[in-house]
Amino acid sequence: MTGQWDELAATVRTRVDGLVASGDEAGVQVAAYLDGEPIIDVVAGVADARTGRPMTADTPIFSLSTGKGLTATVVHVLAERGHLDYDLRIADVWPEYARHGKDATTLRHALTHAAGVPALPADIRAEDFADWDRMCALIADARPEWPPGTAHGYHAWTFGWLVGETVRRATGRTVSEVLATEIAAPLGVPGELFFGVPDDQLDRLAHLDDRNWSAAFETLAGHLPNLDRVAPPGVRPDATIGNRRDVLRADVPAVGTMTARAAARLFAALVGRVGGVRLISPARLRAATAPATSGPDWVFGQPVSMGLGYAIDGGGAWFGASGSGGSLAYGFPELGLSVAATRNRLAFDADDDPMEDLRALIQDSVSRRRGAW
């Protein structure tokens, strides 16, 4: 595809350079794949505004809930190989989880945020996240907010331990191990997709800062009564927690650390084949991205469309995940397209989200060209 998308890449480059020059962004990465080939790989700005260290294409960025797309992919890859079943009763592999009427909860309920355990103790602290066993014990002992499978609500943090411990109990492997060996390595992006970041990789990461995200989250928490229950003040999804080395080192599979090009390559290998690798079959992709929830979300109070671990468009146009403060990774099956964008200056943009604008620019350009063909 050499040369076919140069104009689009130049437009993305101009926009990204403008965002950095304006001071709205510190560092940005944008990547896209079409039919398994890279068409966009744009990087600008600094990885650390304190030192001026430049942002590069291989600089991993803590990207909050965009990591849920990695976690869901781990599950689907294992299911593809017969190691997991979506209707596995969690208590069958994790007996402690059966407490308080949770014995019928399935992996499918966990993936669709329907398990009923989205809340964390009000006094939880970020250092608790570094203790996998403690966090799993808290979730196993939680009383569900609703009978599993009867409603849904965003399991902002608990999603990671709920799915991750089920994977570990059922397969004997951690989500980090599966991500590294079954996804990152075959796709040729070792060192660019992480849950827990190894000690010797921490200094490569981008440093996060905050434009207005923390203030916006506080305002949002004042209007959504259950938001503080899923993300209490001690564990806000913000730059502070995203710069903590103990949290970065820990497996917290509701979030992830990644480069845009690696995330785009992962979603490209879900949509199709990349370098000879396809992570799951077309049939499994259709099953994973089919609508699985209905009705208002317990946290946000409005309908949210979910597949098995991915946010979805109900019409099947896209699936993926996005993170607080501005990161995203999506696949567009009908277009053969994947797009990812990451940044290290977290922000809330009420009218224009620049990362979403870049995603829309790429999607619309490919859609128009495909229509012309």
Side-chain angles (χ1 to χ4, degrees), residues 65-279:
S65 283
T66 302
K68 289 183 174 70
L70 311 185
T71 306
T73 300
V74 163
V75 171
H76 299 311
V77 167
L78 290 171
E80 182 78 9
R81 299 177 183 182
H83 301 311
L84 282 177
D85 186 280
Y86 304 129
D87 294 314
L88 168 73
R89 287 196 329 150
I90 292 174
D92 286 346
V93 295
W94 183 2
E96 304 94 319
Y97 189 79
R99 297 171 188 153
H100 310 304
K102 303 196 300 294
D103 52 295
T105 309
T106 65
L107 180 56
R108 186 184 301 273
H109 293 147
L111 289 169
T112 57
H113 298 258
V117 290
L120 286 170
D123 61 352
I124 200 81
R125 293 293 178 263
E127 50 265 33
D128 295 319
F129 283 10
D131 187 337
W132 180 270
D133 291 339
R134 168 173 166 72
M135 295 309 302
C136 292
L138 282 173
I139 292 167
D141 198 43
R143 295 182 180 275
E145 301 293 336
W146 58 82
T150 64
H152 64 98
Y154 194 53
H155 288 47
W157 288 115
T158 60
F159 176 92
W161 296 291
L162 182 55
V163 175
E165 182 67 353
T166 302
V167 167
R168 189 183 74 83
R169 297 275 185 130
T171 69
R173 306 174 72 189
T174 67
V175 287
S176 271
E177 179 188 352
V178 178
L179 180 66
T181 61
E182 309 298 334
I183 298 173
L187 289 176
V189 287
E192 296 188 34
L193 293 171
F194 296 111
F195 294 121
V197 180
D199 284 348
D200 63 357
Q201 300 292 305
L202 287 170
D203 291 337
R204 295 179 51 228
L205 306 189
H207 182 271
L208 303 185
D209 59 35
D210 182 285
R211 175 152 61 85
N212 65 353
W213 170 249
S214 293
F217 194 95
E218 291 298 331
T219 299
L220 194 61
H223 291 87
L224 299 175
N226 290 322
L227 190 57
D228 265 342
R229 299 193 60 200
V230 303
V235 291
R236 291 285 198 240
D238 58 18
T240 298
I241 202 167
N243 287 324
R244 287 185 61 126
R245 292 172 80 90
D246 57 345
V247 173
L248 289 165
R249 282 194 296 262
D251 273 355
V252 185
V255 297
T257 300
M258 67 200 74
T259 65
R261 71 179 184 185
R265 192 168 177 86
L266 179 151
F267 275 86
L270 291 167
V271 168
R273 193 169 293 278
V274 179
V277 176
R278 180 158 193 167
L279 292 173

